[in-house]
Structures are given as C-alpha cells and as structure tokens.
C-alpha cells in the first residue's frame, strides 16, 4: 500500500466519479481538502466488514471486489468494481459500519473522502442526493438478480453466467487475461473452487472454452448463452 500519491486535484481530474461532476466548484474544493489517495497492491484489503464507515471510496484505476464474510469463514463476492466507481454502503446512514469488505484484485488506486463532508453536500445538493440514491438502488437491483442466479440456477448455469459477465462487463475482451483467481470465481457463483475447476474442465473438454495459464478464451458463445438461459 502506498499513500500520499495525489496525481491531480478533484476539479481537474478526468477519472472522477460521474457523481462528482454534479458538485459545485466550492464543494469540489472542500472534498479536495480532505481527500486521501492510496494505491493498493493485489489482495490488500481496502476496508473490512464490521469496521467504522468513516470514508467513502472511489476506485479510479485497477479492479477490486466487494464481498460478504460469512460466519463459517466462507466469502461471497457481491460485485467486481471497475473504475470509475464510488463505493458506499447502507451503513453510512444506519450504524456507521461497513457491511461488506472491499479488497484490491489488481493494483488499485483509490480516493478516500470524509463521509460527513459528503453527507453534508448531499443535504445541500438535490442533484447529488438523487445520483447517490440512484447508484445505491442500481446496486440493490443487481443483488436481487444475484439472488435469482443463486437460488434458481444449477451449477453449470451459474458458471456460464459468470463467464459471460466477466467477458461483457469486466474484461470486455476475448481472450480474457484473468486477474481474478479461480477462488474468486467460485465465490462469485456460490460454489467451491473444486466444483468450479471441474465445470471449467468439462467446458474445455466440450470446446466451449479454453484456458491456458491465466488466459481464458470463449470458443462457443452460443452454447455458453444457452447454458446460462437453461440454468
């Protein structure tokens, strides 16, 4: 982890969250005065579930994951976070705690903003308030989709869904150079790593995908989408 690495101020930044574009110049100056910029190495925890939510985080480069830590030590990945995304949870208005953990997947640059400063701007600026509500609502809707995904699809359908999600929303290339581990992919689908590896091997044997080292190539999109739809 490396801190004190500010690259530019909020007013001039070209990788700031779209929400910050709704701030007045005065408010941008206020958040800039309390901003902290940190670079995290892969697998470093950015914040941990259960800790005090004193900061709102924006991912400006790299890749991170949000996940719930279960009581049995098993994790479930809620989302993969790409730039430029602001991360805030319901805890900032409920109990001032983080209800999920955030960890870097790749080398990841983050900007931290004092939560009370942001909340004060939200009170004064209805456009910012609406944007924050919209952001949290979209995230909740995506979690609803995950519930359906986990409760109504078989393992093969979940893995197919996950591969398509990684291609269409995270890496946006084919072949994909995976920075997520097989353990991460298993935690995204609610299965064990061994089960994931078995399904990937079956898909490879059927020439639906091919994996070489950390490069995954989808060979048959039609079949993968069919498996996803059939569940």
């Amino acid at each position: 982890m490396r801190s004190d690495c500010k690259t530019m101020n909020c007013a001039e930044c070209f990788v700031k969250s779209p929400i910050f574009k709704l701030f007045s110049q005065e408010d941008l100056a206020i958040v800039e005065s309390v901003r902290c910029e940190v670079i995290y190495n892969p697998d470093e925890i950015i914040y941990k579930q259960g800790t005090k939510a004193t900061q709102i985080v924006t991912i400006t480069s790299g890749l991170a994951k949000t996940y719930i830590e279960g009581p049995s030590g098993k994790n479930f990945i809620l989302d993969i976070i790409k730039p430029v995304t602001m991360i805030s949870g319901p805890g900032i208005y409920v109990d001032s705690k983080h209800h999920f953990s955030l960890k870097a997947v790749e080398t990841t640059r983050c900007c931290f903003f004092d939560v009370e400063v942001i909340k004060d701007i939200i009170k004064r600026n209805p456009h910012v308030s609406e944007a924050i509500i919209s952001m949290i609502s979209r995230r909740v809707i995506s979690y609803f989709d995950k519930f359906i995904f986990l409760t109504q699809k078989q393992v093969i359908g979940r893995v197919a869904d996950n591969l398509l999600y990684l291609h269409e929303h995270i890496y946006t290339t084919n072949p994909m150079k995976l920075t997520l581990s097989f353990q991460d992919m298993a935690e995204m689908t609610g299965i064990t790593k061994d089960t994931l590896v078995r399904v990937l091997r079956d898909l490879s044997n059927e020439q639906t995908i091919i994996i070489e080292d950390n490069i995954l190539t989808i060979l048959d999109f039609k079949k993968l989408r069919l498996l996803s739809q059939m569940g």
Side-chain angles (χ1 to χ4, degrees):
M1 180 177 70
R2 184 160 59 90
S3 59
D4 298 327
C5 52
K6 289 186 177 182
T7 53
M8 61 183 69
N9 63 50
C10 291
E12 299 172 350
C13 181
F14 55 85
V15 290
K16 59 176 173 278
S17 165
I19 290 173
F20 283 89
K21 296 176 182 178
L22 302 173
F23 284 27
S24 67
Q25 291 300 311
E26 292 79 6
D27 285 338
L28 282 175
I30 292 171
V31 296
E32 171 64 26
S33 68
V34 296
R35 178 174 69 94
C36 176
E37 191 170 346
V38 182
I39 296 176
Y40 290 88
N41 296 319
D43 283 334
E44 282 193 309
I45 292 177
I46 299 169
Y47 62 68
K48 187 171 176 61
Q49 179 178 318
T51 57
K52 281 290 185 181
T54 59
Q55 305 281 324
I56 287 178
V57 184
T58 296
I59 304 294
T60 58
S61 68
L63 202 66
K65 61 182 178 181
T66 57
Y67 60 97
I68 297 174
E69 301 181 45
S72 62
K74 294 181 179 179
N75 298 334
F76 175 67
I77 293 178
L78 293 169
D79 210 353
I80 304 299
I81 310 299
K82 295 177 64 177
V84 176
T85 305
M86 177 186 287
I87 310 296
S88 66
I92 65 171
Y93 281 106
V94 179
D95 54 9
S96 298
K97 290 184 179 180
H98 292 297
H99 288 265
F100 50 78
S101 295
L102 178 65
K103 179 184 281 190
V105 173
E106 305 170 355
T107 300
T108 300
R109 185 184 294 268
C110 303
C111 285
F112 291 82
F113 303 92
D114 185 276
V115 69
E116 295 303 324
V117 170
I118 299 296
K119 286 166 73 172
D120 183 60
I121 294 171
I122 289 171
K123 290 176 185 176
R124 293 187 281 101
N125 188 326
H127 299 295
V128 173
S129 176
E130 185 175 354
I132 294 284
I133 291 171
S134 176
M135 176 191 71
I136 294 175
S137 297
R138 286 195 301 271
R139 193 159 290 152
V140 169
I141 290 170
S142 74
Y143 296 161
F144 289 163
D145 291 339
K146 272 187 174 288
F147 295 152
I148 295 295
F149 162 86
L150 288 171
T151 59
Q152 298 189 14
K153 289 198 174 188
Q154 302 298 319
V155 169
I156 185 63
R158 295 189 216 171
V159 174
D161 257 5
N162 192 39
L163 293 176
L164 291 169
Y165 169 76
L166 293 177
H167 164 65
E168 294 169 0
H169 300 286
I170 303 303
Y171 296 111
T172 64
T173 60
N174 190 46
M176 297 178 277
K177 184 177 181 180
L178 297 177
T179 49
L180 289 161
S181 67
F182 284 168
Q183 183 63 43
D184 289 331
M185 293 168 66
E187 290 176 4
M188 292 174 71
T189 51
I191 60 178
T192 66
K193 179 181 175 181
D194 288 345
T195 300
L196 174 77
V197 170
R198 176 180 56 79
V199 174
L200 292 177
R201 186 185 302 118
D202 290 344
L203 290 172
S204 180
N205 290 338
E206 296 165 3
Q207 296 189 326
T208 306
I209 65 170
I210 186 170
I211 302 176
E212 296 178 342
D213 296 325
N214 63 333
I215 306 297
L216 189 150
T217 306
I218 299 174
L219 302 175
D220 191 338
F221 279 96
K222 184 177 180 180
K223 182 174 181 179
L224 207 58
R225 290 194 174 95
L226 182 62
L227 290 171
S228 171
Q229 292 165 6
M230 292 177 63

